Amino acid sequence: MSLFLLRGVTMDELKILNNGTTVIFEEVPKSETVSIGVYVKTGTATEGEYPEGIAHFVEHMLFKGSSKYTRQQLSTEFDKIGGYNNAYTTKMYTCYFCKTLKRFERKATDLLLDMVKNPLFLEEEIAREKKVILEEIKMIEDTPEEWLMDKLENEIYKDQPLGRMILGSPESLNKINKETLTAFHKSHYQSNRLVVSVAGSFSEALKEEIMSQLNDNQNEAINEIDQKMTFTETKQTYYKNELEQTHFMRSYAAPSYNDTYYYATNILNTILGETMSSKLFQVLREEHALCYNVYSDFQSFQENGLLTIYVATDKENVEPSSKLITEVLKSLLENGISQEELDDAKSHIITSFLMASESNQNKMTRNARSMMFHDELITNEKFESKVNNVQLEDIKKATQFLLQAPYSEFILTEK
């Protein structure tokens, strides 16, 4: 089995197989647990011509039977080892993971790898799972905040890969069958799309076993979807019955995760609306009492990103809230922030990151996402250095970038 070293990372941390599979190990010697994640570099935005929501449908189906295990056996065996296992689909990738005791490391690995690489896609399970996902769609429709966020991305990136709904729609689900699922899995779950991340306490034997199971000849060329998306400026109002509050979102075009101002925008987002001392919280809630819930969120993709501000309030408070949001942003650009405010925001981000890094599951996730997004491992030290290198002028430029960028507004209110 041939492996090679990448960018000075030790062999104990990062291995890349000849078929393109990336395997990352981070040992935590005194830990009693191990977290194992299989990340597939395919999500809703990479579905191409397949029915909308098929990436998420495949995620569900991988728990419904594999070459070694039936649906019931997968559930029983995961429960038997007391493992916490789950999966989720994003726009850019899909993740399958398990956390368990070190003594069950090999069983957990075998379960995960077999379900990911060798699913059965049984007809009766497909029919059943369609009903389950339809109920999941209804659940989102009953959650105003999540529903509005889905609509926001759908409209901002209308008719583009990032605009596709993760769950799909009842209409797109009807187009999914055994043939489409099998074809999608074959083309999008190739070995060179896999990143396997392990963190915690594990044996040398586990490392060899994982690489042995992953070392196959599935190394076909990947037809990447163009991720350069056009941001659509729009204002939309939607109506639903029996809402106690009106939900308001404003979303700005923002930097990608490899952009020069990625870290500055992260800090700007913290200053804007991530904490109780943030500008939006203090102005909209504490000073003007316009709402209970207000926050900002920054998410990045390969070529672009979104910074979204959310407010839940009474209908008559939407317009004054929107005006205050604009005033807060303009004030940030015109008056800037103090060095103390910048240092406090850095402290909050670094502390949150380092505290999360104490969890094996978060280590596993961080390492996988680092390789998928940045093609390198972002260590605690590197992250802290990147954040600390941001200066006041960078925050000003990030704010200027945001205010010059297009934005869209969305309202969900009662009829």
Side-chain angles (χ1 to χ4, degrees):
M1 189 187 322
S2 177
L3 309 168
F4 63 86
L5 196 62
L6 182 67
R7 298 189 180 188
V9 179
T10 67
M11 292 290 280
D12 286 339
E13 294 176 333
L14 177 64
K15 299 176 187 289
I16 297 181
L17 306 183
N18 283 340
N19 61 14
T21 298
T22 299
V23 190
I24 312 161
F25 298 101
E26 181 170 350
E27 189 172 7
V28 185
K30 294 184 180 181
S31 176
E32 295 292 331
T33 66
V34 60
S35 292
I36 306 159
V38 182
Y39 292 77
V40 188
K41 291 184 279 188
T42 190
T44 313
T46 61
E47 291 173 338
E49 299 300 318
Y50 285 92
E52 186 177 39
I54 193 170
H56 174 256
F57 203 116
V58 167
E59 175 221 310
H60 276 234
M61 288 304 303
L62 264 55
F63 288 89
K64 305 305 174 185
S66 65
S67 63
K68 291 184 183 179
Y69 304 99
T70 65
R71 169 177 56 84
Q72 186 60 51
Q73 285 173 332
L74 282 171
S75 300
T76 301
E77 292 299 322
F78 272 122
D79 288 345
K80 192 185 296 184
I81 63 176
Y84 170 61
N85 69 291
N86 212 332
Y88 58 90
T89 304
T90 72
K91 300 281 185 177
M92 307 305 300
Y93 67 92
T94 308
C95 172
Y96 305 85
F97 65 93
C98 178
K99 180 178 181 179
T100 188
L101 295 177
K102 177 183 177 180
R103 71 188 71 168
F104 300 124
E105 59 178 19
R106 299 182 73 175
K107 187 63 176 181
T109 301
D110 191 60
L111 287 164
L112 275 176
L113 293 184
D114 195 57
M115 60 183 271
V116 169
K117 295 183 73 67
N118 306 303
L120 296 181
F121 298 123
L122 300 173
E123 296 278 8
E124 62 271 23
E125 297 291 353
I126 294 170
R128 254 196 300 264
E129 208 57 29
K130 281 188 179 182
K131 296 178 182 178
V132 172
I133 295 176
L134 283 171
E135 293 303 316
E136 190 176 0
I137 291 172
K138 292 176 185 176
M139 182 181 70
I140 296 297
E141 290 177 347
D142 285 342
T143 312
E145 186 178 340
E146 289 190 41
W147 184 89
L148 191 58
M149 178 58 77
D150 278 354
K151 290 297 292 184
L152 178 150
E153 292 182 4
N154 183 249
E155 290 294 329
I156 284 176
Y157 297 118
K158 198 171 186 65
D159 299 323
Q160 301 176 82
L162 284 175
R164 293 168 74 96
M165 306 288 263
I166 290 175
L167 302 185
S169 65
E171 294 74 25
S172 67
L173 288 184
N174 284 333
K175 300 175 184 177
I176 296 175
N177 54 35
K178 181 180 177 67
E179 183 181 356
T180 56
L181 288 167
T182 302
F184 183 84
H185 182 269
K186 182 179 180 181
S187 62
H188 287 69
Y189 276 60
Q190 289 292 330
S191 294
N192 44 356
R193 286 184 180 268
L194 300 185
V195 176
V196 178
S197 182
V198 182
S201 182
F202 48 84
S203 66
E204 287 295 317
L206 179 73
K207 294 165 73 171
E208 293 302 319
E209 182 169 332
I210 286 176
M211 290 182 290
S212 176
Q213 288 193 47
L214 291 172
N215 193 33
D216 55 36
N217 296 318
Q218 295 180 0
N219 188 14
E220 296 182 12
I222 298 174
N223 294 322
E224 297 291 358
I225 303 294
D226 184 6
Q227 296 297 331
K228 292 182 179 178
M229 303 292 133
T230 301
F231 185 104
T232 302
E233 291 185 81
T234 183
K235 291 189 177 182
Q236 301 283 352
T237 299
Y238 305 97
Y239 299 92
K240 283 194 173 185
N241 291 321
E242 300 179 359
L243 288 177
E244 295 296 329
Q245 289 184 303
T246 292
H247 302 264
F248 170 74
M249 289 184 180
R250 181 189 291 182
S251 196
Y252 290 85
S256 72
Y257 47 67
N258 286 316
D259 189 276
T260 304
Y261 293 107
Y262 170 77
Y263 286 95
T265 306
N266 259 309
I267 295 173
L268 174 60
N269 178 58
T270 298
I271 293 166
L272 264 179
E274 270 207 342
T275 65
M276 290 178 64
S277 62
S278 66
K279 303 290 186 182
L280 293 173
F281 189 94
Q282 288 297 315
V283 172
L284 271 72
R285 174 170 161 164
E286 300 298 284
E287 293 179 20
H288 293 272
L290 290 175
C291 60
Y292 174 79
N293 194 10
V294 54
Y295 65 82
S296 63
D297 176 69
F298 173 46
Q299 58 176 323
S300 284
F301 308 113
Q302 186 173 325
E303 297 289 341
N304 40 48
L306 292 174
L307 192 147
T308 302
I309 296 165
Y310 168 79
V311 182
T313 186
D314 286 335
K315 186 185 295 187
E316 61 268 21
N317 291 337
V318 170
E319 187 175 346
S321 295
S322 179
K323 289 180 179 177
L324 283 172
I325 289 169
T326 302
E327 288 177 15
V328 166
L329 284 166
K330 287 184 176 177
S331 175
L332 277 173
L333 181 61
E334 293 168 3
N335 304 319
I337 61 170
S338 67
Q339 184 63 49
E340 183 179 6
E341 287 178 307
L342 176 58
D343 291 340
D344 288 347
K346 289 180 178 181
S347 177
H348 173 80
I349 290 173
I350 291 169
T351 301
S352 298
F353 185 86
L354 295 182
M355 286 176 63
S357 294
E358 291 186 351
S359 158
N360 291 341
Q361 191 168 317
N362 285 332
K363 290 178 190 291
M364 172 199 79
T365 301
R366 177 201 63 197
N367 290 340
R369 286 170 55 92
S370 290
M371 289 305 300
M372 287 191 295
F373 296 161
H374 306 290
D375 198 28
E376 63 175 334
L377 289 175
I378 306 296
T379 62
N380 290 351
E381 294 76 19
K382 183 171 288 188
F383 179 83
E384 191 165 356
S385 174
K386 294 273 190 183
V387 172
N388 280 328
N389 284 339
V390 175
Q391 304 299 315
L392 287 170
E393 183 62 25
D394 298 317
I395 300 297
K396 184 173 183 179
K397 288 179 179 178
T399 308
Q400 190 172 38
F401 176 96
L402 201 67
L403 283 171
Q404 291 175 347
Y407 73 87
S408 293
E409 290 187 340
F410 297 82
I411 298 169
L412 177 61
T413 191
E414 190 174 33
K415 289 183 180 178

